[in-house]
Amino acid sequence: MPFPTTNPSLERALTDRGYQDPTPVQAAVLQPEAEGRDLLVSAQTGSGKTVAYGLALASTLLGEAERFGPPAEPLALIVAPTRELALQVHRELIWLYGPAGVRVASSVGGMDVRREQRALEDGCHIVVGTPGRLRDHLERGRLDPSQMRAVVLDEADEMLDLGFREDLEFILDALPESRRTLLFSATLPRNIVAMARRYQRDAFRIDTLVENEPHSDIEYRALRVAPNEIELGVVNVLRFYEMRNAMVFCKTREAVRHLHASLTERGFAAVALSGELTQNERSNALQSLRDGRARVCVATDVAARGIDLPDLGLVIHAELPNDHETLLHRSGRTGRAGRKGVCVLLVPFTRRRKAEGLLAAARVDAEWAGPPTAEEIRKRDQERLVSDPAWTEDKLDEDLEMGRVLLAQHSAEEVAAALARMHRARLPAPEELVEAGPDRGPRAKRDFGDDRPPRERHARDEAFEAEDMAWFTMSVGRRNNADPRWLLPIICRLGHVTRKEVGPIKIYDRETKFGILKSFAPRFASAARKSNDEDIRIEPAGFERGKPQDGKKPFGSKKPYEGKKSFEGKKPFDGKKSHEGKKPYEGKKPYEPRKGADDRPHGDKKPPGGKKWAGKDAKPGGPKPGGPKKKFSSKRER
């Protein structure tokens, strides 16, 4: 569907920019019912909202005219939550209203205040800014709101989340009551609806998405990885896709700092965004992503708000988000304006259920698989090299001359091999990861760290039984969804051994027990003690095969009760009289006590005064010796 008829100047701008069909939100704001009215719009991130409200404002700002008049007091105010988003809106409005002779002024934190003041004094048609700086200009009288015809709140939900409610209310109260109020938000929580009721008049509601609907232009993939190989998984995902721009999300500043350092060390052109950066450092990082000097951005959720990278094709969740709304918000950084994007969740084996719950709540159908292997990445590199545009581009004379020189001194095969070697040298090396293998339930039998046939596994078990083994325990078990496929690499890495030295792996509910060849046990124990893994602890088990512990005989070398008489071959109570063939209490009166000292109430002690006890019926606390005997009606009373 082509764009509806709007202002001729805007139509020329859209044509020059290559816009042919409007997005759903752009078509919705241009319908006749929305013209000239306040708008309450909910649309997903990256759906073309900036162009949408730019087109919606045309009738209010230009009317029937094709060009703006001389710049004076501003006619419209655009409020955005972050500096990056405000500057992005500033650039979008310049090309959209450029043929109409617009002058757009920006007013954001971190910029020169005097420069902004001069721009406002010289006159403009539209002002774009952040809440705090706009309020400052209003309080100081630098921004005259008397001629304002419209105000737009972009990403209103984020502005309230960031604590700008007071600033927004001050700005809206300072504007003329006759202005149009356009409120755009990715979600419409209760506080947004309350603000709309207070500051809008007969607002036209536009919903272009089902609540929490995922982006249709994003391919979701969930990759199973070992808990200690998240960082390696990020490396392989980045290498497999090789997008121009990629964003990796972490939860904390420390995680961002660590992952950024690791990627930089491996050769990736990466930048970090977190709350500890200054505004200047943040601006330099984003500019390096836009101009191609950096390709990977590692960020926290808060630091990534308001960021729009036009060529962002890959989003990686290095740490799972806390809720499905955060999942959709992170993923919405890619797949914008009709472009395709990829969203990858790195799911540790122990967090599978949480990931499935997030995807179900977000209504996302993700493809589950293992992480890209080194072999798959090398195959992709070969395909990218063969299909590189450099093979079809026009050749310069100096390039052809260099090719002739190389072929004169080397064979074609040597030149091609050198080209492949140089291409591979500029790329970070892929990592070897644990094979994901087929999914198995938490109660499946897990005895070894490989998937060999049962016959081979039993042969290996017998080989290890013949050796002296040292046994260790690990602080994970079935309740952590432990699996030998990812436990074995952890054991090898923390203990500085290979899988050849690792014996059987026995997984229990709260712990895992595994064997190490005794000749490697001291080195393994020393390395495991020095490891700084806070989530997994490795300690010596309670016993070692063939070695006494604390003066006790181990069960691994002798049978239980060895050296003692056994009941084997004998009947129960052999040599003793049995009750077999007799009736209960046969030959005895019921409840007749046995003879002996134990029958007396106080054992072998005599009663005081040299007197005898009053009989078997006497008991401590009863009648005094020599008194009348008391008859008991039952054994319980005795």
Side-chain angles (χ1 to χ4, degrees), residues 71 92 100 105-106 110 157 172 185 195-196 249 253 301 320 328 366 369 387 405 435 458 484 559 587 612 619 621 627:
E92 293 283 311
S106 62
D157 53 348
L172 294 173
S185 179
M195 176 175 286
F249 281 98
R253 299 178 183 178
D301 295 319
L320 294 178
L328 293 176
S387 60
V405 171
E435 295 183 4
H458 293 319
K559 296 180 180 179
K612 296 183 178 180
K619 69 172 186 176

Coordinates of all heavy atoms in Angstrom, one line a residue, residues 71 92 100 105-106 110 157 172 185 195-196 249 253 301 320 328 366 369 387 405 435 458 484 559 587 612 619 621 627:
P71 N 12.0 31.3 10.6 CA 12.0 30.7 12.0 C 11.8 31.8 13.0 O 12.5 32.9 13.0 CB 13.4 30.1 12.0 CG 14.2 30.8 11.0 CD 13.2 31.2 9.9
E92 N 16.3 12.6 11.8 CA 15.1 12.1 11.0 C 14.2 13.3 10.6 O 13.8 13.3 9.4 CB 14.3 11.1 11.9 CG 15.0 9.8 12.2 CD 15.0 8.9 10.9 OE1 14.0 8.7 10.3 OE2 16.1 8.4 10.6
A100 N 10.8 21.3 3.1 CA 9.9 22.3 3.5 C 10.6 23.5 4.2 O 10.0 24.4 4.7 CB 8.9 21.8 4.5
A105 N 16.1 22.5 16.2 CA 17.1 22.8 17.3 C 17.0 21.6 18.2 O 16.0 21.1 18.5 CB 16.8 24.1 18.0
S106 N 18.2 21.3 18.8 CA 18.3 20.2 19.8 C 18.6 20.8 21.1 O 19.3 21.8 21.2 CB 19.4 19.2 19.3 OG 20.6 19.8 19.3
G110 N 24.5 17.2 28.3 CA 25.9 16.9 27.8 C 26.4 17.8 26.7 O 27.5 17.6 26.3
D157 N 6.9 5.5 28.1 CA 7.1 4.6 29.2 C 8.5 4.6 29.8 O 8.7 4.4 31.0 CB 6.7 3.2 28.8 CG 7.4 2.8 27.5 OD1 8.0 3.6 26.8 OD2 7.4 1.6 27.1
L172 N 4.6 19.9 30.2 CA 3.2 19.9 29.7 C 2.4 21.1 30.3 O 1.5 21.6 29.6 CB 2.6 18.6 29.9 CG 3.2 17.4 29.2 CD1 2.6 16.1 29.7 CD2 3.0 17.6 27.7
S185 N 4.4 5.2 22.8 CA 5.0 4.3 23.8 C 4.9 2.9 23.3 O 4.0 2.5 22.6 CB 4.2 4.5 25.1 OG 4.8 3.6 26.1
M195 N -1.6 9.6 32.7 CA -1.0 10.8 32.1 C -1.8 11.2 30.9 O -2.0 12.4 30.7 CB 0.5 10.6 31.8 CG 1.1 11.9 31.2 SD 2.9 11.7 31.0 CE 3.4 11.9 32.7
A196 N -2.2 10.3 30.0 CA -2.9 10.6 28.8 C -4.2 11.2 29.2 O -4.7 12.2 28.5 CB -3.1 9.4 28.0
F249 N 24.0 -8.3 25.5 CA 23.4 -7.8 26.7 C 23.9 -8.6 27.9 O 23.9 -9.9 27.9 CB 21.9 -7.9 26.6 CG 21.3 -6.7 25.8 CD1 20.9 -6.9 24.5 CD2 21.1 -5.5 26.4 CE1 20.4 -5.9 23.7 CE2 20.6 -4.5 25.6 CZ 20.2 -4.7 24.3
R253 N 27.3 -4.2 35.4 CA 28.4 -3.4 34.9 C 29.7 -4.3 34.9 O 30.5 -4.3 34.0 CB 28.7 -2.2 35.7 CG 27.6 -1.2 35.8 CD 27.9 0.0 36.7 NE 26.8 1.0 36.8 CZ 26.9 2.0 37.5 NH1 28.0 2.3 38.2 NH2 25.9 2.9 37.6
D301 N 21.0 -3.4 30.2 CA 19.7 -3.0 29.7 C 19.5 -1.5 29.9 O 19.0 -0.8 28.9 CB 18.6 -3.7 30.5 CG 18.7 -5.2 30.3 OD1 18.9 -5.6 29.2 OD2 18.5 -6.0 31.3
L320 N 20.4 -14.3 30.6 CA 19.0 -14.3 30.4 C 18.3 -13.1 31.1 O 18.7 -12.8 32.2 CB 18.3 -15.6 30.9 CG 18.7 -16.9 30.1 CD1 18.0 -18.0 30.8 CD2 18.4 -16.8 28.7
L328 N 11.8 -8.9 25.0 CA 11.3 -8.3 23.8 C 12.0 -6.9 23.5 O 12.3 -6.5 22.4 CB 9.8 -8.1 23.8 CG 9.0 -9.4 23.8 CD1 7.5 -9.1 24.0 CD2 9.2 -10.2 22.5
A366 N 11.2 -20.1 19.4 CA 12.6 -20.1 19.1 C 13.1 -21.4 18.7 O 12.5 -22.5 19.1 CB 13.4 -19.6 20.4
A369 N 19.0 -25.3 19.6 CA 20.2 -26.0 19.0 C 21.4 -25.8 19.9 O 21.3 -25.2 20.9 CB 20.4 -25.4 17.6
S387 N 32.3 -15.6 -1.7 CA 31.3 -14.7 -2.2 C 31.5 -13.2 -1.9 O 30.6 -12.4 -2.0 CB 29.9 -15.1 -1.6 OG 30.0 -15.1 -0.2
V405 N 52.4 -9.2 -10.8 CA 53.7 -9.3 -10.1 C 53.7 -10.6 -9.2 O 54.7 -11.4 -9.2 CB 54.0 -8.1 -9.3 CG1 55.3 -8.3 -8.4 CG2 54.3 -6.9 -10.2
E435 N 29.8 -30.4 22.8 CA 28.8 -30.7 21.9 C 27.5 -30.8 22.6 O 27.4 -31.4 23.7 CB 29.0 -32.0 21.2 CG 30.3 -32.0 20.2 CD 30.5 -33.3 19.5 OE1 29.6 -34.2 19.7 OE2 31.5 -33.4 18.8
H458 N 31.0 -49.9 29.4 CA 31.3 -50.9 30.4 C 32.8 -51.3 30.3 O 33.4 -51.6 31.3 CB 30.4 -52.1 30.2 CG 29.0 -51.9 30.5 ND1 28.6 -51.1 31.5 CD2 27.9 -52.2 29.8 CE1 27.3 -51.0 31.5 NE2 26.8 -51.7 30.5
P484 N 26.8 -35.0 32.2 CA 28.2 -35.2 32.0 C 28.8 -34.5 30.8 O 30.0 -34.2 30.7 CB 28.3 -36.8 31.7 CG 27.1 -37.3 32.4 CD 26.0 -36.3 32.3
K559 N 35.2 -56.2 51.5 CA 33.7 -56.3 51.7 C 33.3 -55.9 53.0 O 34.0 -55.9 54.0 CB 33.3 -57.8 51.5 CG 33.6 -58.3 50.1 CD 33.2 -59.8 50.0 CE 33.5 -60.3 48.6 NZ 33.1 -61.8 48.5
G587 N 2.8 -72.6 78.1 CA 3.4 -73.0 79.3 C 3.7 -71.9 80.3 O 4.3 -72.2 81.3
K612 N 11.7 -56.2 103.0 CA 11.5 -56.7 101.6 C 10.5 -55.8 100.9 O 9.7 -55.1 101.6 CB 11.0 -58.1 101.6 CG 12.0 -59.1 102.2 CD 11.4 -60.5 102.1 CE 12.4 -61.5 102.6 NZ 11.9 -62.9 102.5
K619 N 6.2 -50.4 93.3 CA 6.9 -49.5 92.4 C 7.3 -48.2 93.1 O 6.7 -47.9 94.1 CB 6.0 -49.2 91.2 CG 4.8 -48.4 91.5 CD 4.1 -48.0 90.2 CE 3.0 -46.9 90.5 NZ 2.4 -46.5 89.2
G621 N 7.3 -44.7 94.3 CA 6.2 -43.7 94.5 C 4.9 -44.4 94.9 O 3.9 -43.7 95.1
G627 N 3.0 -52.1 103.7 CA 1.6 -51.6 103.6 C 0.7 -52.6 102.9 O 1.2 -53.6 102.4

